[in-house]
Amino acid sequence: MSGPSAPQLRTRALELGPYLSARLGGDGSVADARLAGEGMSDTTLLVDLRDGRELVLRAHSTTVAGTGVESPERHFAVLRAVHPVAGVPSPEPLLLESDPAPLGAPFMIIGRLPGRAVVPWSREGCAFLRSTGAGPAGRELLAILASIHAVDPAALAGALDPPPAGTAAAAQAVARLRAAIERDRDGPEPALTDALGWLEAHLPACAQPALVHGDYRAGNLLFDGGHITGVLDWEFAHLGDPARDIAWLMAASNRVGDELACDMVPMGEVVERYEGLTGRAVDPAALTFWDLFMLVENAALWVRTTASWRRGEVDDVRIARWSYTLPRTRRLVLDALERT
């Protein structure tokens, strides 16, 4: 990870009292700061203030620079737009700091939501999702997504660019993906090359662009008391084809078995429920396109980061492990191609 380590960030966070008092008001003295997670773009700290406020501090890093992770400024602007929207339990954006001086890295502070996150691919996480999905959270999974897609695009003016009309948005996305793979690959990538060719030949048009979360899956949700209490990680949010979110929700890489989307909702019910909630018809061809696109995009990230690790540009052991999952990632792409 470039920049300060997680322990260094925690030490600096404990000393942010005067800064937080000046920026947030009240007593900003920090009672505790503890590591919640160290993602590939952010390190997340849970910060407790002495006056009782519970905050989340996300310190931005450049561990996987150039992989498409959006800037903190754009992320913060999206949170400001979606937080007031009913039916979308997103964190309250409180503070954005682009100057690395106070902490050692740029960071944002958001309000802490109740609930806990789960690791979907763990045995315990999968069991939890299957059980919870059979209750209210299973219904909320699609209701929240419908609310995200219903956000007025005008509320995002200045934060997100409107997509070009027709098939141009999908064409641009595929072109960026092809350029990234060509730039980062260590050798031939026949599976990804074939998939890119299929995508270029089957570009969908989007008649009703909407706010797309970009990574809507169980691993980016909070759960409490059988309900979904939070939607996290809005870095990839954009205005585009809502079928992209639905396809990702149903993707093979986001479920352990074959029958439950995100191990929560029966696969055969996802589209029907979504259409009933939104009145928006889902084009099966668009789902097929975005399912393959997201798998190729995921593989491209793996290609980029493992190549960076082999060249010594990063030393994160998690990225070293990714090199061993690349064959399975390519296999998922091939399986999707066969389904087309």
Side-chain angles (χ1 to χ4, degrees), residues 156-202:
L156 295 152
L160 301 176
D161 296 327
T167 62
Q172 289 179 4
V174 176
R176 288 193 296 268
L177 192 53
R178 179 180 284 279
I181 292 171
E182 288 299 316
R183 179 190 65 231
D184 299 327
R185 64 186 177 88
D186 277 346
E189 288 287 352
L192 303 187
T193 299
D194 284 355
L196 287 167
W198 189 95
L199 291 170
E200 289 166 342
H202 297 83

Short mmCIF file of all heavy atoms in Angstrom, two decimals, residues 156-202:
data_model
loop_
_atom_site.label_atom_id
_atom_site.label_comp_id
_atom_site.label_asym_id
_atom_site.label_seq_id
_atom_site.Cartn_x
_atom_site.Cartn_y
_atom_site.Cartn_z
N LEU A 156 -27.73 14.77 -9.48
CA LEU A 156 -26.33 14.40 -9.61
C LEU A 156 -25.59 15.29 -10.60
O LEU A 156 -24.44 15.03 -10.93
CB LEU A 156 -26.23 12.93 -10.06
CG LEU A 156 -26.77 11.95 -9.02
CD1 LEU A 156 -27.29 10.69 -9.68
CD2 LEU A 156 -25.70 11.60 -8.00
N ALA A 157 -26.27 16.32 -11.07
CA ALA A 157 -25.62 17.26 -11.99
C ALA A 157 -24.40 17.87 -11.32
O ALA A 157 -24.45 18.32 -10.18
CB ALA A 157 -26.61 18.34 -12.42
N GLY A 158 -23.30 17.88 -12.03
CA GLY A 158 -22.06 18.40 -11.49
C GLY A 158 -21.21 17.34 -10.82
O GLY A 158 -20.01 17.51 -10.68
N ALA A 159 -21.86 16.23 -10.41
CA ALA A 159 -21.11 15.13 -9.80
C ALA A 159 -20.83 14.03 -10.82
O ALA A 159 -19.74 13.47 -10.85
CB ALA A 159 -21.89 14.56 -8.62
N LEU A 160 -21.82 13.73 -11.65
CA LEU A 160 -21.69 12.67 -12.63
C LEU A 160 -22.06 13.19 -14.02
O LEU A 160 -23.02 13.95 -14.17
CB LEU A 160 -22.60 11.48 -12.28
CG LEU A 160 -22.38 10.82 -10.92
CD1 LEU A 160 -23.41 9.74 -10.69
CD2 LEU A 160 -20.98 10.24 -10.83
N ASP A 161 -21.33 12.76 -15.02
CA ASP A 161 -21.61 13.17 -16.39
C ASP A 161 -22.75 12.33 -16.96
O ASP A 161 -22.81 11.12 -16.74
CB ASP A 161 -20.37 12.97 -17.27
CG ASP A 161 -19.22 13.88 -16.85
OD1 ASP A 161 -19.50 14.99 -16.38
OD2 ASP A 161 -18.06 13.45 -16.99
N PRO A 162 -23.66 12.95 -17.73
CA PRO A 162 -24.69 12.16 -18.38
C PRO A 162 -24.07 11.25 -19.45
O PRO A 162 -23.10 11.64 -20.10
CB PRO A 162 -25.60 13.22 -19.01
CG PRO A 162 -24.73 14.43 -19.16
CD PRO A 162 -23.76 14.38 -18.03
N PRO A 163 -24.61 10.04 -19.62
CA PRO A 163 -24.03 9.13 -20.62
C PRO A 163 -24.42 9.54 -22.02
O PRO A 163 -25.48 10.15 -22.23
CB PRO A 163 -24.65 7.78 -20.25
CG PRO A 163 -25.97 8.14 -19.65
CD PRO A 163 -25.75 9.43 -18.91
N PRO A 164 -23.60 9.23 -23.01
CA PRO A 164 -23.99 9.48 -24.40
C PRO A 164 -25.16 8.59 -24.80
O PRO A 164 -25.42 7.56 -24.17
CB PRO A 164 -22.73 9.15 -25.20
CG PRO A 164 -21.96 8.23 -24.31
CD PRO A 164 -22.26 8.64 -22.92
N ALA A 165 -25.86 8.99 -25.83
CA ALA A 165 -27.08 8.29 -26.23
C ALA A 165 -26.77 6.99 -26.98
O ALA A 165 -25.65 6.75 -27.43
CB ALA A 165 -27.93 9.21 -27.12
N GLY A 166 -27.81 6.17 -27.09
CA GLY A 166 -27.73 4.94 -27.88
C GLY A 166 -26.74 3.94 -27.30
O GLY A 166 -26.66 3.75 -26.08
N THR A 167 -25.96 3.34 -28.18
CA THR A 167 -24.99 2.34 -27.76
C THR A 167 -23.63 2.95 -27.44
O THR A 167 -22.69 2.22 -27.10
CB THR A 167 -24.80 1.28 -28.86
OG1 THR A 167 -24.29 1.91 -30.05
CG2 THR A 167 -26.12 0.58 -29.18
N ALA A 168 -23.52 4.28 -27.53
CA ALA A 168 -22.20 4.92 -27.37
C ALA A 168 -21.63 4.71 -25.97
O ALA A 168 -20.42 4.53 -25.82
CB ALA A 168 -22.31 6.42 -27.68
N ALA A 169 -22.48 4.73 -24.95
CA ALA A 169 -21.98 4.56 -23.58
C ALA A 169 -21.36 3.18 -23.40
O ALA A 169 -20.27 3.04 -22.84
CB ALA A 169 -23.10 4.77 -22.57
N ALA A 170 -22.04 2.15 -23.88
CA ALA A 170 -21.50 0.79 -23.78
C ALA A 170 -20.23 0.67 -24.62
O ALA A 170 -19.26 0.02 -24.20
CB ALA A 170 -22.54 -0.23 -24.24
N ALA A 171 -20.21 1.28 -25.80
CA ALA A 171 -19.03 1.22 -26.66
C ALA A 171 -17.82 1.86 -25.98
O ALA A 171 -16.70 1.33 -26.04
CB ALA A 171 -19.31 1.91 -27.99
N GLN A 172 -18.04 3.00 -25.33
CA GLN A 172 -16.94 3.66 -24.63
C GLN A 172 -16.43 2.80 -23.48
O GLN A 172 -15.22 2.73 -23.23
CB GLN A 172 -17.40 5.02 -24.12
CG GLN A 172 -17.63 6.06 -25.21
CD GLN A 172 -18.09 7.39 -24.65
OE1 GLN A 172 -18.19 7.57 -23.44
NE2 GLN A 172 -18.39 8.32 -25.55
N ALA A 173 -17.35 2.16 -22.75
CA ALA A 173 -16.95 1.32 -21.62
C ALA A 173 -16.10 0.15 -22.10
O ALA A 173 -15.08 -0.20 -21.49
CB ALA A 173 -18.18 0.82 -20.88
N VAL A 174 -16.50 -0.48 -23.21
CA VAL A 174 -15.73 -1.61 -23.74
C VAL A 174 -14.38 -1.14 -24.26
O VAL A 174 -13.36 -1.82 -24.07
CB VAL A 174 -16.53 -2.33 -24.85
CG1 VAL A 174 -15.69 -3.45 -25.47
CG2 VAL A 174 -17.82 -2.91 -24.29
N ALA A 175 -14.34 0.03 -24.89
CA ALA A 175 -13.08 0.55 -25.41
C ALA A 175 -12.09 0.81 -24.27
O ALA A 175 -10.90 0.50 -24.38
CB ALA A 175 -13.32 1.83 -26.20
N ARG A 176 -12.59 1.37 -23.16
CA ARG A 176 -11.70 1.59 -22.01
C ARG A 176 -11.21 0.27 -21.44
O ARG A 176 -10.04 0.15 -21.05
CB ARG A 176 -12.45 2.39 -20.94
CG ARG A 176 -12.69 3.84 -21.27
CD ARG A 176 -13.14 4.62 -20.05
NE ARG A 176 -14.44 4.16 -19.56
CZ ARG A 176 -15.60 4.68 -19.94
NH1 ARG A 176 -15.63 5.68 -20.81
NH2 ARG A 176 -16.74 4.23 -19.44
N LEU A 177 -12.08 -0.72 -21.43
CA LEU A 177 -11.71 -2.03 -20.91
C LEU A 177 -10.65 -2.69 -21.79
O LEU A 177 -9.67 -3.25 -21.29
CB LEU A 177 -12.96 -2.90 -20.82
CG LEU A 177 -12.88 -4.21 -20.05
CD1 LEU A 177 -12.34 -3.98 -18.64
CD2 LEU A 177 -14.26 -4.86 -19.99
N ARG A 178 -10.83 -2.62 -23.10
CA ARG A 178 -9.84 -3.20 -24.02
C ARG A 178 -8.49 -2.50 -23.85
O ARG A 178 -7.44 -3.16 -23.81
CB ARG A 178 -10.32 -3.10 -25.46
CG ARG A 178 -9.33 -3.66 -26.47
CD ARG A 178 -9.83 -3.55 -27.90
NE ARG A 178 -10.85 -4.52 -28.22
CZ ARG A 178 -10.61 -5.78 -28.55
NH1 ARG A 178 -9.36 -6.24 -28.56
NH2 ARG A 178 -11.61 -6.58 -28.86
N ALA A 179 -8.50 -1.19 -23.76
CA ALA A 179 -7.25 -0.44 -23.62
C ALA A 179 -6.53 -0.83 -22.33
O ALA A 179 -5.30 -0.97 -22.32
CB ALA A 179 -7.53 1.05 -23.65
N ALA A 180 -7.29 -1.02 -21.25
CA ALA A 180 -6.67 -1.39 -19.98
C ALA A 180 -6.03 -2.76 -20.05
O ALA A 180 -4.91 -2.97 -19.56
CB ALA A 180 -7.73 -1.35 -18.87
N ILE A 181 -6.71 -3.71 -20.68
CA ILE A 181 -6.16 -5.07 -20.78
C ILE A 181 -4.93 -5.08 -21.67
O ILE A 181 -3.91 -5.71 -21.35
CB ILE A 181 -7.24 -6.04 -21.31
CG1 ILE A 181 -8.33 -6.21 -20.25
CG2 ILE A 181 -6.63 -7.40 -21.66
CD1 ILE A 181 -9.55 -6.97 -20.73
N GLU A 182 -4.97 -4.37 -22.78
CA GLU A 182 -3.81 -4.31 -23.67
C GLU A 182 -2.62 -3.66 -22.99
O GLU A 182 -1.47 -4.06 -23.19
CB GLU A 182 -4.18 -3.54 -24.94
CG GLU A 182 -5.12 -4.29 -25.88
CD GLU A 182 -4.51 -5.59 -26.37
OE1 GLU A 182 -3.32 -5.61 -26.74
OE2 GLU A 182 -5.24 -6.61 -26.36
N ARG A 183 -2.89 -2.68 -22.15
CA ARG A 183 -1.80 -1.97 -21.46
C ARG A 183 -1.16 -2.83 -20.37
O ARG A 183 0.06 -2.78 -20.16
CB ARG A 183 -2.36 -0.69 -20.84
CG ARG A 183 -1.34 0.16 -20.07
CD ARG A 183 -2.03 1.27 -19.30
NE ARG A 183 -2.89 0.74 -18.25
CZ ARG A 183 -4.15 1.09 -18.07
NH1 ARG A 183 -4.72 1.96 -18.89
NH2 ARG A 183 -4.86 0.58 -17.07
N ASP A 184 -1.97 -3.61 -19.68
CA ASP A 184 -1.51 -4.24 -18.44
C ASP A 184 -1.15 -5.71 -18.56
O ASP A 184 -0.48 -6.25 -17.67
CB ASP A 184 -2.60 -4.10 -17.36
CG ASP A 184 -2.92 -2.66 -17.04
OD1 ASP A 184 -1.99 -1.83 -17.11
OD2 ASP A 184 -4.09 -2.35 -16.75
N ARG A 185 -1.56 -6.39 -19.61
CA ARG A 185 -1.34 -7.83 -19.68
C ARG A 185 0.14 -8.16 -19.82
O ARG A 185 0.90 -7.44 -20.47
CB ARG A 185 -2.13 -8.44 -20.83
CG ARG A 185 -1.73 -7.96 -22.23
CD ARG A 185 -2.68 -8.53 -23.27
NE ARG A 185 -2.36 -8.04 -24.60
CZ ARG A 185 -1.49 -8.62 -25.44
NH1 ARG A 185 -0.84 -9.72 -25.03
NH2 ARG A 185 -1.24 -8.13 -26.63
N ASP A 186 0.53 -9.27 -19.20
CA ASP A 186 1.90 -9.76 -19.29
C ASP A 186 2.12 -10.65 -20.51
O ASP A 186 3.25 -10.90 -20.92
CB ASP A 186 2.27 -10.56 -18.03
CG ASP A 186 2.70 -9.64 -16.89
OD1 ASP A 186 2.96 -8.46 -17.15
OD2 ASP A 186 2.75 -10.11 -15.74
N GLY A 187 1.05 -11.16 -21.07
CA GLY A 187 1.13 -12.06 -22.22
C GLY A 187 -0.22 -12.16 -22.88
O GLY A 187 -1.13 -11.37 -22.59
N PRO A 188 -0.41 -13.11 -23.78
CA PRO A 188 -1.70 -13.25 -24.47
C PRO A 188 -2.83 -13.52 -23.48
O PRO A 188 -2.66 -14.20 -22.47
CB PRO A 188 -1.48 -14.46 -25.39
CG PRO A 188 0.01 -14.57 -25.54
CD PRO A 188 0.58 -14.10 -24.24
N GLU A 189 -3.99 -12.98 -23.78
CA GLU A 189 -5.20 -13.20 -22.97
C GLU A 189 -6.33 -13.61 -23.92
O GLU A 189 -7.26 -12.85 -24.19
CB GLU A 189 -5.59 -11.93 -22.20
CG GLU A 189 -4.68 -11.59 -21.05
CD GLU A 189 -4.86 -12.52 -19.85
OE1 GLU A 189 -5.81 -13.33 -19.88
OE2 GLU A 189 -4.07 -12.44 -18.89
N PRO A 190 -6.27 -14.83 -24.46
CA PRO A 190 -7.25 -15.22 -25.48
C PRO A 190 -8.68 -15.21 -24.99
O PRO A 190 -9.59 -14.80 -25.73
CB PRO A 190 -6.80 -16.64 -25.87
CG PRO A 190 -5.92 -17.10 -24.76
CD PRO A 190 -5.27 -15.88 -24.21
N ALA A 191 -8.94 -15.63 -23.76
CA ALA A 191 -10.32 -15.64 -23.25
C ALA A 191 -10.87 -14.21 -23.18
O ALA A 191 -12.00 -13.95 -23.59
CB ALA A 191 -10.36 -16.30 -21.88
N LEU A 192 -10.07 -13.29 -22.66
CA LEU A 192 -10.52 -11.91 -22.53
C LEU A 192 -10.65 -11.26 -23.90
O LEU A 192 -11.56 -10.45 -24.14
CB LEU A 192 -9.57 -11.12 -21.64
CG LEU A 192 -9.36 -11.67 -20.23
CD1 LEU A 192 -8.53 -10.69 -19.40
CD2 LEU A 192 -10.67 -11.98 -19.54
N THR A 193 -9.76 -11.59 -24.82
CA THR A 193 -9.82 -11.03 -26.17
C THR A 193 -11.09 -11.49 -26.88
O THR A 193 -11.79 -10.70 -27.53
CB THR A 193 -8.59 -11.46 -26.98
OG1 THR A 193 -7.41 -10.95 -26.34
CG2 THR A 193 -8.65 -10.91 -28.39
N ASP A 194 -11.44 -12.77 -26.76
CA ASP A 194 -12.67 -13.27 -27.35
C ASP A 194 -13.88 -12.58 -26.74
O ASP A 194 -14.83 -12.22 -27.45
CB ASP A 194 -12.79 -14.78 -27.14
CG ASP A 194 -11.88 -15.57 -28.06
OD1 ASP A 194 -11.24 -14.96 -28.94
OD2 ASP A 194 -11.81 -16.80 -27.89
N ALA A 195 -13.85 -12.41 -25.42
CA ALA A 195 -14.98 -11.77 -24.74
C ALA A 195 -15.14 -10.32 -25.19
O ALA A 195 -16.27 -9.84 -25.41
CB ALA A 195 -14.79 -11.85 -23.23
N LEU A 196 -14.03 -9.61 -25.34
CA LEU A 196 -14.11 -8.22 -25.80
C LEU A 196 -14.70 -8.14 -27.20
O LEU A 196 -15.50 -7.25 -27.51
CB LEU A 196 -12.72 -7.59 -25.78
CG LEU A 196 -12.15 -7.26 -24.40
CD1 LEU A 196 -10.66 -6.95 -24.50
CD2 LEU A 196 -12.88 -6.09 -23.76
N GLY A 197 -14.33 -9.08 -28.06
CA GLY A 197 -14.90 -9.11 -29.41
C GLY A 197 -16.40 -9.32 -29.38
O GLY A 197 -17.15 -8.67 -30.13
N TRP A 198 -16.86 -10.22 -28.49
CA TRP A 198 -18.31 -10.46 -28.38
C TRP A 198 -19.01 -9.20 -27.88
O TRP A 198 -20.06 -8.82 -28.39
CB TRP A 198 -18.57 -11.63 -27.44
CG TRP A 198 -20.02 -12.06 -27.44
CD1 TRP A 198 -20.59 -13.05 -28.18
CD2 TRP A 198 -21.08 -11.46 -26.68
NE1 TRP A 198 -21.94 -13.12 -27.92
CE2 TRP A 198 -22.28 -12.16 -27.00
CE3 TRP A 198 -21.15 -10.43 -25.75
CZ2 TRP A 198 -23.50 -11.84 -26.44
CZ3 TRP A 198 -22.38 -10.11 -25.20
CH2 TRP A 198 -23.55 -10.80 -25.54
N LEU A 199 -18.42 -8.56 -26.88
CA LEU A 199 -19.03 -7.35 -26.33
C LEU A 199 -19.15 -6.25 -27.40
O LEU A 199 -20.18 -5.58 -27.50
CB LEU A 199 -18.21 -6.84 -25.14
CG LEU A 199 -18.23 -7.71 -23.88
CD1 LEU A 199 -17.18 -7.23 -22.89
CD2 LEU A 199 -19.61 -7.72 -23.23
N GLU A 200 -18.11 -6.08 -28.18
CA GLU A 200 -18.13 -5.05 -29.22
C GLU A 200 -19.18 -5.32 -30.28
O GLU A 200 -19.69 -4.39 -30.91
CB GLU A 200 -16.74 -4.93 -29.85
CG GLU A 200 -15.71 -4.31 -28.91
CD GLU A 200 -14.28 -4.50 -29.37
OE1 GLU A 200 -14.04 -5.39 -30.22
OE2 GLU A 200 -13.39 -3.78 -28.87
N ALA A 201 -19.53 -6.59 -30.46
CA ALA A 201 -20.52 -6.96 -31.46
C ALA A 201 -21.95 -6.96 -30.92
O ALA A 201 -22.90 -7.15 -31.70
CB ALA A 201 -20.20 -8.34 -32.03
N HIS A 202 -22.13 -6.76 -29.62
CA HIS A 202 -23.47 -6.87 -29.02
C HIS A 202 -23.73 -5.70 -28.06
O HIS A 202 -24.24 -5.90 -26.95
CB HIS A 202 -23.61 -8.20 -28.28
CG HIS A 202 -23.51 -9.40 -29.16
ND1 HIS A 202 -22.30 -9.94 -29.54
CD2 HIS A 202 -24.48 -10.15 -29.75
CE1 HIS A 202 -22.52 -10.99 -30.32
NE2 HIS A 202 -23.81 -11.13 -30.48
#
